[in-house]
């Protein structure tokens, strides 16, 4: 029965066209990610394309290792000297020779010094040699201030302090541009996959509501039991396989060309006060996992609505509305942030969610937004499955 259901899904011409389109889009996305990498050589010439990512990583990795106060002081000193030498702006040659290689370290210092304000380069010129040597002390002091500011209850404050204590100091530096680039592209890609998979899931039950078909299907020996279970299993299996093959192809092509330098680089290098202590590789995997959970929840909800409405017309709009339209509605209604912060759209927008210290508290227990929603929508996905089964197994009984 399961093989038959899978064959029905993949034999539909519309589904075949859709999956072929997914493959084409995946390859295009990979090309866009690779093409967005830019490297400037010592002569000031800019390079993009296949070699740019690896050349950029090689240039930056001359600073690979522990980001000690001495290394930071050396970077800031060099940048100050160049800025004084070229008050009207750095020429491309100087960018390619020196600044490009350590600019991430320079940006890190600015981010550390501006925890609750906009990015401001002027703070660099206000730093003394003593402050540079104590940069991690300043960093830790600012963490305490952040914990007090966003810890609106004693439990939240204690939770934030425990998280910040997990950040290993000094940070380790390694070029992370391939991961930085891919997090932006994969975030959009998983959103696209969720919408497409929702369309596939909507068609799993819809074919059985055609005149005459439902009577044959439900009158069969296992029509109201094993057949329905296999439909649900087929929906889960197809959704899972299509999602992971899609992101797998995207990741394989992109990282095979750009390289994987920076997998173990702490995420705090780019966002020092994030409450998600992880590496850039783990950050990428978090985006994939969050997108998968949101996709599976939307697929289950789509199947349930199809069963209840007896048509896929409304169901196929659910993923698009929940994941694509809701973010725009949320921006227009900031007064309802507490509500929108609980929607599955957060799981397909982890790129922004990790930058915001949103916490939830239930009694004495405190949870970070992303981990809480991943658990919540995993549970809701499982809860929806028996409702799908019950909804279709009881279909038509009242009419008889």
């Amino acid at each position: 029965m399961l093989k038959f259901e899978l064959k029905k899904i993949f034999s539909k011409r519309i589904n075949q066209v859709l999956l072929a389109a997914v493959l084409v889009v995946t390859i295009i996305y990979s090309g866009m990610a690779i093409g967005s990498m830019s490297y400037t050589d010592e002569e000031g010439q800019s390079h993009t394309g296949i070699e740019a990512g690896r050349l950029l990583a090689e240039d930056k990795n001359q600073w690979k290792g522990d980001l000690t106060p001495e290394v930071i002081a050396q970077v800031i000193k060099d940048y100050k000297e160049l800025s004084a030498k070229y008050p009207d702006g750095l020429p491309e040659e100087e960018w390619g020779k020196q600044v490009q290689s350590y600019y991430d370290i320079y940006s890190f210092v600015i981010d550390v010094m501006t925890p609750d304000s906009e990015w401001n380069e002027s703070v660099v010129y206000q730093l003394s040699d003593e402050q540079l040597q104590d940069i991690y002390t300043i960093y830790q002091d600012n963490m305490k201030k952040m914990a007090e500011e966003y810890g609106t209850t004693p439990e939240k404050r204690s939770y934030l302090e425990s998280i910040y204590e997990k950040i290993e100091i000094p940070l380790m530096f390694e070029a992370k541009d391939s991961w930085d680039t891919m997090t932006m592209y994969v975030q959009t890609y998983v959103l696209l996959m969720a919408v497409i998979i929702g369309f596939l899931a909507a068609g799993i039950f819809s074919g059985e509501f055609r005149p005459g078909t439902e009577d044959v299907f439900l009158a069969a020996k296992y029509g109201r039991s094993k057949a329905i279970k296999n439909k649900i299993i087929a929906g889960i299996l197809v959704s899972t396989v299509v999602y992971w093959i899609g992101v797998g192809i995207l990741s394989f092509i992109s990282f095979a060309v750009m390289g994987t330098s920076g997998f173990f680089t702490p995420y705090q290098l780019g966002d020092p006060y994030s409450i998600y202590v992880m590496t850039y590789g783990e950050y990428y995997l978090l985006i994939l996992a969050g997108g998968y959970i949101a996709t599976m929840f939307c697929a289950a909800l789509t199947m349930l609505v199809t069963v209840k409405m007896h048509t896929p017309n409304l169901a196929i709009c659910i993923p698009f509305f929940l994941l694509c339209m809701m973010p725009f509605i949320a921006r227009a209604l900031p007064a309802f942030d507490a509500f929108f912060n609980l929607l599955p759209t957060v799981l397909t927008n982890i790129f922004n969610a990790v930058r915001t210290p949103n916490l939830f508290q239930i009694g004495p227990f405190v949870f970070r937004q992303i981990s809480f929603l991943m658990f919540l929508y995993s549970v809701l996905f499982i809860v929806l499955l028996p409702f799908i089964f019950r909804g279709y197994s009881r279909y038509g009984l009242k009419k008889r």
Side-chain angles (χ1 to χ4, degrees):
M1 284 187 181
L2 180 59
K3 290 182 179 180
F4 177 70
E5 290 298 335
L6 293 174
K7 183 178 179 181
K8 283 174 63 179
I9 294 171
F10 290 113
S11 64
K12 288 184 179 179
R13 183 56 58 87
I14 183 64
N15 290 348
Q16 293 173 350
V17 172
L18 198 60
L19 293 174
V22 168
L23 180 60
V24 172
V25 169
T26 302
I27 295 172
I28 291 174
Y29 258 66
S30 300
M32 290 171 62
I34 294 167
S36 68
M37 299 290 282
S38 178
Y39 165 74
T40 302
D41 62 28
E42 293 185 356
E43 296 178 355
Q45 298 297 316
S46 181
H47 303 270
T48 58
I50 293 177
E51 294 185 348
R54 291 185 180 271
L55 289 172
L56 183 62
E58 182 181 351
D59 186 35
K60 290 189 175 185
N61 278 339
Q62 62 185 283
W63 298 93
K64 182 178 178 180
D66 288 341
L67 198 56
T68 62
E70 290 73 24
V71 171
I72 291 173
Q74 182 183 346
V75 165
I76 299 302
K77 179 183 177 182
D78 185 78
Y79 192 86
K80 284 182 177 179
E81 290 175 352
L82 285 173
S83 297
K85 185 178 180 180
Y86 300 102
D88 295 329
L90 294 175
E92 291 298 314
E93 293 85 354
E94 293 296 342
W95 174 268
K97 288 178 182 178
Q98 301 180 66
V99 180
Q100 175 181 251
S101 67
Y102 62 63
Y103 194 75
D104 288 345
I105 301 173
Y106 171 76
S107 297
F108 168 72
V109 174
I110 296 174
D111 288 332
V112 166
M113 299 304 298
T114 56
D116 251 347
S117 58
E118 293 184 0
W119 203 78
N120 184 1
E121 287 192 78
S122 66
V123 299
V124 169
Y125 302 95
Q126 300 167 12
L127 286 171
S128 64
D129 292 340
E130 291 75 15
Q131 286 176 310
L132 286 172
Q133 289 300 318
D134 293 334
I135 189 69
Y136 283 113
T137 301
I138 295 172
Y139 183 24
Q140 290 172 322
D141 289 341
N142 285 341
M143 287 181 197
K144 293 178 182 177
K145 293 177 183 177
M146 294 289 284
E148 292 175 359
E149 180 178 351
Y150 291 99
T152 53
T153 67
E155 291 82 6
K156 288 184 179 180
R157 191 177 307 115
S158 177
Y159 184 74
L160 287 173
E161 289 172 352
S162 67
I163 287 176
Y164 284 138
E165 287 175 0
K166 295 177 182 178
I167 299 175
E168 295 184 10
I169 291 175
L171 269 62
M172 189 276 291
F173 177 81
E174 185 179 13
K176 58 180 176 57
D177 298 83
S178 60
W179 297 97
D180 238 348
T181 299
M182 284 305 295
T183 53
M184 292 186 291
Y185 279 92
V186 79
Q187 189 77 84
T188 307
Y189 183 80
V190 298
L191 185 62
L192 175 66
M193 290 295 285
V195 174
I196 291 173
I197 288 171
F199 184 89
L200 293 174
I204 292 174
F205 282 94
S206 63
E208 312 306 339
F209 291 109
R210 290 174 297 182
T213 305
E214 60 187 57
D215 293 329
V216 174
F217 184 87
L218 295 173
K221 182 178 180 180
Y222 297 111
R224 294 186 185 275
S225 54
K226 288 184 179 180
I228 300 175
K229 289 179 182 178
N230 279 289
K231 277 185 171 294
I232 296 173
I233 293 172
I236 296 171
L237 187 60
V238 168
S239 299
T240 299
V241 170
V242 171
Y243 180 88
W244 287 111
I245 287 180
V247 298
I249 293 173
L250 176 73
S251 302
F252 178 78
I253 295 174
S254 301
F255 288 119
V257 175
M258 296 188 295
T260 58
S261 172
F263 183 96
F264 296 105
T265 300
Y267 176 69
Q268 274 62 33
L269 182 68
D271 189 4
Y273 300 102
S274 173
I275 62 175
Y276 296 90
V277 183
M278 56 190 173
T279 68
Y280 268 87
E282 291 168 340
Y283 173 34
Y284 185 78
L285 295 176
L286 179 66
I287 291 175
L288 297 187
Y292 174 68
I293 292 171
T295 296
M296 296 306 291
F297 169 74
C298 287
L301 188 59
T302 298
M303 287 191 284
L304 178 62
V305 173
T306 300
V307 167
K308 292 295 184 181
M309 301 295 293
H310 309 158
T311 174
N313 295 339
L314 176 62
I316 59 177
C317 300
I318 289 174
F320 180 79
F321 177 75
L322 276 181
L323 305 178
C324 300
M325 295 301 297
M326 274 299 181
F328 294 98
I329 298 173
R331 293 190 192 103
L333 300 171
F336 298 93
D337 277 351
F339 169 73
F340 290 113
N341 284 336
L342 287 169
L343 295 181
T345 183
V346 173
L347 297 179
T348 53
N349 193 24
I350 288 177
F351 181 82
N352 290 318
V354 293
R355 299 176 181 276
T356 308
N358 283 329
L359 297 173
F360 299 118
Q361 184 172 351
I362 302 176
F365 302 104
V366 179
F367 309 93
R368 286 173 289 187
Q369 181 186 31
I370 295 174
S371 54
F372 177 75
L373 293 185
M374 289 178 74
F375 173 77
L376 174 64
Y377 284 101
S378 295
V379 171
L380 289 178
F381 161 70
I382 296 171
V383 168
L384 287 177
L385 300 182
F387 283 96
I388 297 170
F389 177 84
R390 186 171 183 272
Y392 195 69
S393 64
R394 293 173 62 87
Y395 175 69
L397 293 179
K398 293 181 179 179
K399 295 191 300 182
R400 303 179 188 205

